[in-house]
Amino acid sequence: GGDAQGGSAGDARAEGAVRLAALRAEMARLGLDAVLVPSDDPHQSEYVATCYERRAFISGFKGSSGTAVVTATQALLWTDGRYFLQAEQQLFDSWALVKDRLPDTVSIEAWLVQCESVTVVGLDPLLASAASVAELRKSLEGAGKVLKALPNNPVDLVWGSSRPPPPSAAAFCLDARYAGQTVAQKLAAVKKALAVAKADVLVVAALDEVAWLLNVRGADIAFCPVSYAYATVSVGEGEGGRLQVCWFIDKSKVSESVLATVRESAGAGVDFELKEYADIEAEIRAERYAGRTVLVPSSASAALHALVTARQLRYSE
């Protein structure tokens, strides 16, 4: 009945206050005046797995789009007109809704620049594109403020052991009949594009792009047929260098038959390797990439970009 609902709503509000206090304690420990909590996962996906629903966890708002900003005294959520009603219903107590994209609404960037109590802003660099971080950093530095890339997400420290585990759905192959091209045909096009861009290595970070390139699908995100994965395509040194392709994914998601099918579709002229999802960082830092030009989309995370030296890096849109 009504009492039970009232109780659960009260419990949720109380829990929300506990979470916010814990996040603020973490911010104080890290020397942060403000922290940004976006909706994103490390691949800048619009829809994310439950373990990446940090903004929903900290604010109570469960919509697919919105960014939370927390300071020592304020907790604000920016979201657009699709979600005004939902946000007003779901936000925990002491949170305020900022109605984004209305003529009089100040952007997050402008708000941080103007807020006198904010000097150091924290952001998890996995959760924002390199392009958006560069823009935010420029605005903040212009106002004598600092954007700090956080090696550990402070919301995760608050979430602790109750955070859902990463998704573990199996990857599967999409037959070339449906995909329209074999993996080999797609790789040949990528090789040509690398030559045009005068680059040696392509880093593929968007989940739908990895799925497209390898003709694979997954079920890690509700209603989105993708797996959490990265891919790299590199051209071997020397004339007519062989292509080397790495697929970074939780290996438990890839059966031997799926791996064999992807390898076969990639063709005999390609060295194809399966690596663990977390190995992408070590791969990009690898010695064999030193002095080579690495193409990283500007839509990929700031954390990925930070792994590549400016001398090696070439952006692609």
Side-chain angles (χ1 to χ4, degrees):
D3 287 350
Q5 281 186 324
S8 64
D11 292 347
R13 278 200 291 274
E15 179 58 33
V18 169
R19 291 173 188 177
L20 195 54
L23 179 60
R24 284 176 169 148
E26 200 53 50
M27 288 165 59
R29 189 180 70 79
L30 295 167
L32 304 173
D33 302 314
V35 75
L36 294 175
V37 187
S39 310
D40 305 56
D41 63 16
H43 303 264
Q44 285 59 64
S45 309
E46 184 176 2
Y47 299 99
V48 303
T50 51
C51 63
Y52 294 120
E53 291 177 350
R54 298 179 174 100
R55 192 221 53 234
F57 168 81
I58 202 68
S59 71
F61 168 62
K62 295 181 169 65
S64 72
S65 176
T67 300
V69 178
V70 178
T71 70
T73 57
Q74 289 178 284
L76 307 171
L77 173 89
W78 271 255
T79 191
D80 64 72
R82 293 172 295 170
Y83 291 117
F84 293 164
L85 195 61
Q86 184 180 343
E88 280 165 355
Q89 291 168 345
Q90 291 181 338
L91 280 171
F92 294 140
D93 286 1
S94 76
W95 280 83
L97 169 64
V98 181
K99 294 182 173 180
D100 203 9
R101 301 184 197 173
L102 296 186
D104 299 333
T105 302
V106 175
S107 69
I108 291 174
E109 205 170 291
W111 188 87
L112 291 169
V113 164
Q114 291 163 17
C115 185
E116 289 180 5
S117 63
V118 170
T119 306
V120 183
V121 179
L123 174 65
D124 180 341
L126 277 168
L127 304 184
S129 71
S132 65
V133 168
E135 198 177 304
L136 178 58
R137 177 169 277 124
K138 189 176 172 186
S139 296
L140 289 172
E141 287 177 355
K145 302 187 177 195
V146 178
L147 182 62
K148 196 170 178 183
L150 304 175
N152 298 300
N153 192 302
V155 175
D156 295 350
L157 300 172
V158 174
W159 212 342
S161 59
S162 60
R163 184 184 173 203
S168 56
F172 58 95
C173 292
L174 187 69
D175 196 283
R177 286 181 291 181
Y178 307 115
Q181 291 180 300
T182 63
V183 177
Q185 288 170 314
K186 293 176 178 182
L187 289 171
V190 169
K191 189 175 184 179
K192 276 186 189 161
L194 280 170
V196 170
K198 294 187 168 56
D200 307 304
V201 183
L202 173 68
V203 177
V204 186
L207 302 183
D208 54 349
E209 293 180 6
V210 177
W212 175 85
L213 181 66
L214 301 179
N215 287 349
V216 289
R217 299 293 186 266
D220 280 348
I221 302 172
F223 314 115
C224 301
V226 294
S227 297
Y228 276 95
Y230 295 96
T232 56
V233 181
S234 56
V235 183
E237 305 208 39
E239 270 310 301
R242 283 171 71 85
L243 273 189
Q244 293 157 333
V245 179
C246 290
W247 183 19
F248 301 85
I249 183 170
D250 175 349
K251 287 182 180 178
S252 67
K253 295 176 183 177
V254 183
S255 68
E256 284 184 21
S257 70
V258 164
L259 181 57
T261 303
V262 176
R263 274 210 168 104
E264 188 184 339
S265 186
V270 172
D271 297 326
F272 190 92
E273 214 176 332
L274 183 69
K275 297 195 174 188
E276 286 293 347
Y277 177 75
D279 290 345
I280 183 68
E281 186 173 321
E283 177 74 14
I284 294 176
R285 286 183 190 272
E287 189 57 42
R288 69 173 177 281
Y289 287 171
R292 310 201 76 203
T293 303
V294 182
L295 200 61
V296 187
S298 54
S299 57
S301 73
L304 271 193
H305 276 247
L307 299 173
V308 185
T309 65
R311 193 169 45 79
Q312 291 173 285
L313 181 68
R314 181 163 282 131
Y315 278 70
S316 75
E317 288 311 318

